[in-house]
Amino acid sequence: MSNAKVLPLLEADQAVVPCCPPLTERAMSASEAEVAAKMFKALGDPVRLRLFSAVASHEGGEACVCDISDVGVSQPTVSHHLKKLKEAGLLTSERRGTWVYYRVEPSVLAAMSALLADAAKAV
């Protein structure tokens, strides 16, 4: 049985629904700030950032845990950090046999990018 979550494909003309408004648009609500903070907090750890980068840069944006676990910490610690990235909504996973494959959640990346890109334009 798979724990995979089927994600809708984004069409080129389909807009990404952001988690929150661009920083320069308006002040965030408390719930928007909670969502954004959870994502950025997950990426605030160097090991998590390396794991996230390993998945994102892997061919097809998907990587087997066996291909990305060499980040200088034990395997249980890698599992813990991958779990935190999943809880923050940055990764999804699918078990295939004995291995778990992780995939970047593209809509979340696009929303985070828009959040920061608009702020950078204002500077």
Side-chain angles (χ1 to χ4, degrees):
M1 182 174 195
S2 173
N3 291 335
K5 183 169 78 172
V6 177
L7 301 173
L9 294 176
L10 293 175
E11 299 297 327
D13 61 342
Q14 187 178 2
V16 174
V17 178
C19 64
C20 37
L23 293 175
T24 57
E25 183 179 301
R26 65 173 170 79
M28 287 184 190
S29 69
S31 61
E32 291 168 336
E34 289 281 332
V35 171
K38 189 175 181 181
M39 290 187 291
F40 287 114
K41 182 177 181 180
L43 291 174
D45 181 279
V47 172
R48 288 186 203 146
L49 190 54
R50 287 185 66 202
L51 287 168
F52 186 75
S53 175
V55 173
S57 64
H58 206 269
E59 186 176 332
E62 176 184 74
C64 174
V65 70
C66 60
D67 295 328
I68 60 170
S69 58
D70 187 21
V71 291
V73 295
S74 68
Q75 194 284 321
T77 304
V78 168
S79 295
H80 166 76
H81 287 301
L82 288 169
K83 178 183 174 187
K84 292 297 183 182
L85 290 168
K86 279 183 60 177
E87 288 172 352
L90 297 170
L91 296 178
T92 58
S93 67
E94 177 183 4
R95 180 171 292 282
R96 298 180 197 157
T98 59
W99 296 111
V100 177
Y101 287 78
Y102 290 89
R103 177 173 288 282
V104 170
E105 177 54 66
S107 63
V108 172
L109 280 182
M112 290 175 70
S113 177
L115 171 77
L116 297 175
D118 286 348
K121 290 177 192 174
V123 176

